[in-house]
Amino acid sequence: MSRAKSAPLLSPAAIPSLPPESVDAHCENQLRLLQELAQLMDAASDVAQALDKALALMAGHLHMMRGAITLVSPQTGEIRIESSYGLKPAERQRGRYVRGEGITGRVIESGRAMYISDVSEEPLFLNKTRSRDLKKEGISFICVPIRLNNHVVGALSVDHLLADAATLEDEVRLLLIIATLLGHAALETQGRMDEESRPSLRPKGFVGNSESMQKVYAQIAQVAPSATTVLLQGESGTGKELAARAIHAASARAARPFISLNCAALPENLIESELFGHERGAFTGANATRKGRFELAHGGTLFLDEVGELSLMTQAKLLRVLQERTFERLGGMETLHVDVRFITATNRDLERMVEEGSFRRDLFYRLNVFPIFLPPLRQRPEDILPLASHFIQKYSAANGRKNVRLSLVVMDMLQRYDWPGNIRELENVMERAVLLLSRESLVLPQHLPPALHSVHCGGHDVDDRCALRPGLAGSLQERLDELERACIVEALESSRGQIGRAAASLGLTERIMALRLKKYGISYKTFRPARKGTPPVDNDA
């Protein structure tokens, strides 16, 4: 790979000084651009339009193919494109990141500018907008942080015609100055992000904005106001019950009951009693009249999960209720009428079951009025990290932890895994990781279950060479720093904050240990047992 023979493709850039006034035509062009940008921002009344105009102005002066201003949501922490040049609306919508993800996420997390000489040779470059044909276009990429009051509010990124390192470093210097000019407008736009740009169709409880989930959100919004029967399809753990609750919450029946039943959780002889209820004495143990789920859901919504597990006899009785909205309790003679909206779900292929004769064809047609497919997590990889961050925050708060975050290596492991258990499995993995953390607030590979340590590329297990491809988990130094920090924290935890013992267990001198503690901002005092009557030290303070 040519990358190993040339200067690093991914390089940090230092903040420079302005070029001298005795400049050539190229520098005169840069100065003219800065002057026009300053005038534009000074006269701007609409900051969002001003950012778009700023990018267009840059395109007229620089060798810029595309440009984007990506900002951090102050409410959710999500990173997304708010202004762009050369991107279609769908491409712009796909530009969403979490901290540390890809080049943009790392620039925002570290506050350092970065550039790539050739994006086709850099695995860390995600091309999330899918606006570039990496096989045909020769593209260099520059990304610089947008700072204001010592806080990174976002990033300015540019697709540049293929260029050498010296040219790109010159462009980095210019873009850092431009980012400063755009700082106030970016901050004001950032404050409006969640009011103006939050996906209006995403129901409460859902996380992720992949294209496949946007379709699901649109379908939920479309069918919810009606009384139409809905069939939710998808693998186990994809969020079918959450979708059913979202449909109910957005319907006219929202104030009425939402009743659910997992058809696979009960034996066949109890399913009918659960659905239809029973009269006193209907069978042994029926000591009182009991309402079934149909009656309990009257006026509201009945959600039948795993409907493919029903027996043919129960399917026939369910079909009658769907057609006539009437039924009798077990052991009863009175016909009861119900007003119920049906939502069913299954992880099985009902059409195939119909062909095999294990599911009634007429019932399938009654249930399949408005089908919604919930995609598996492996088909929406861009949602993995936002979901992981959501669960980390959820379980950190539940366990009294603060500032817990994912390490770069863990981010890559999560994105490579196939997730056969889908979102439910991811949630369990994140809950486990939070519980395994000691005083350290960084989730590391040792906090993940063994299954995630087996790399899956294209559905096949591969060796460690695939697991350690350059760029996928950050630079070697970043990975070593994370591992070293984790080892130091573990040693201090074991030694109860005794530096000498901790250093000896790691084969270090106390002097080197002290230098490492200073490097990582770790205080040995936080690992000392609290004295009686003394409040414990908060490691996150």
Side-chain angles (χ1 to χ4, degrees), residues 70-344:
T70 312
L71 301 178
V72 183
S73 165
Q75 298 297 324
T76 67
E78 182 186 40
I79 301 169
R80 60 179 183 259
I81 294 176
E82 290 298 307
S83 294
S84 63
Y85 172 83
L87 295 180
K88 298 175 182 177
E91 295 169 343
R92 178 168 163 168
Q93 179 67 21
R94 289 192 286 262
R96 295 172 181 268
Y97 310 83
V98 297
R99 288 183 180 272
E101 183 186 14
I103 306 299
T104 302
R106 295 195 182 198
V107 165
I108 289 175
E109 182 176 52
S110 67
R112 294 180 300 153
M114 294 182 174
Y115 68 81
I116 306 174
S117 297
D118 187 346
V119 296
S120 65
E121 297 185 15
E122 177 51 65
L124 191 60
F125 186 76
L126 302 180
N127 193 25
K128 292 195 76 170
T129 63
R130 300 204 291 275
S131 57
R132 310 157 182 96
D133 187 340
L134 301 185
K135 294 181 180 179
K136 296 181 180 179
E137 292 183 294
I139 301 171
S140 297
F141 182 77
I142 306 171
C143 187
V144 302
I146 300 176
R147 292 176 176 274
L148 198 66
N149 301 327
N150 292 324
H151 292 289
V152 178
V153 299
L156 168 64
S157 59
V158 165
D159 281 14
H160 194 285
L161 293 174
L162 206 60
D164 57 24
T167 301
L168 293 175
E169 287 173 3
D170 180 58
E171 294 288 321
V172 166
R173 287 190 277 271
L174 176 64
L175 291 180
L176 282 166
I177 299 169
I178 292 174
T180 302
L181 292 174
L182 303 181
H184 286 283
L187 181 65
E188 189 172 341
T189 304
Q190 183 192 42
R192 302 178 183 177
M193 285 176 70
D194 296 294
E195 287 73 22
E196 298 180 356
S197 300
R198 179 180 295 153
S200 58
L201 295 179
R202 185 169 66 188
K204 182 179 179 181
F206 279 89
V207 176
N209 288 294
S210 59
E211 285 189 67
S212 55
M213 288 307 297
Q214 290 289 349
K215 292 178 182 178
V216 171
Y217 302 154
Q219 288 178 306
I220 289 175
Q222 184 178 11
V223 75
S226 69
T228 301
T229 300
V230 179
L231 175 61
L232 301 170
Q233 298 170 293
E235 297 177 8
S236 178
T238 52
K240 296 188 289 295
E241 182 166 355
L242 183 61
R245 291 184 180 276
I247 293 170
H248 173 73
S251 72
R253 300 169 180 260
R256 305 294 294 171
F258 176 88
I259 304 297
S260 65
L261 175 66
N262 188 328
C263 301
L266 294 172
E268 184 180 343
N269 60 333
L270 293 180
I271 284 288
E272 289 190 36
S273 175
E274 285 293 326
L275 286 173
F276 304 107
H278 60 256
E279 297 288 351
R280 180 180 180 181
F283 52 83
T284 303
N287 300 320
T289 299
R290 183 175 182 273
K291 291 182 178 181
R293 303 298 173 99
F294 286 122
E295 284 184 85
L296 294 174
H298 180 67
T301 301
L302 177 62
F303 173 56
L304 299 179
D305 198 5
E306 305 299 347
V307 70
E309 305 300 325
L310 293 174
S311 67
L312 288 171
M313 182 178 296
T314 306
Q315 290 177 32
K317 294 182 178 181
L318 176 61
L319 177 64
R320 180 197 169 195
V321 181
L322 282 166
Q323 290 175 328
E324 302 177 11
R325 294 299 197 268
T326 60
F327 69 96
E328 294 85 29
R329 297 192 191 111
L330 294 183
M333 300 297 293
E334 180 185 2
T335 298
L336 303 175
H337 296 264
V338 288
D339 172 23
V340 173
R341 198 244 182 99
F342 287 93
I343 302 177
T344 58

Side-chain angles (χ1 to χ4, degrees), residues 38-57:
Q39 293 173 347
L40 171 66
M41 303 314 296
D42 185 55
S45 57
D46 186 318
V47 291
Q49 289 185 5
L51 292 177
D52 287 334
K53 290 178 180 178
L55 290 172
L57 188 60

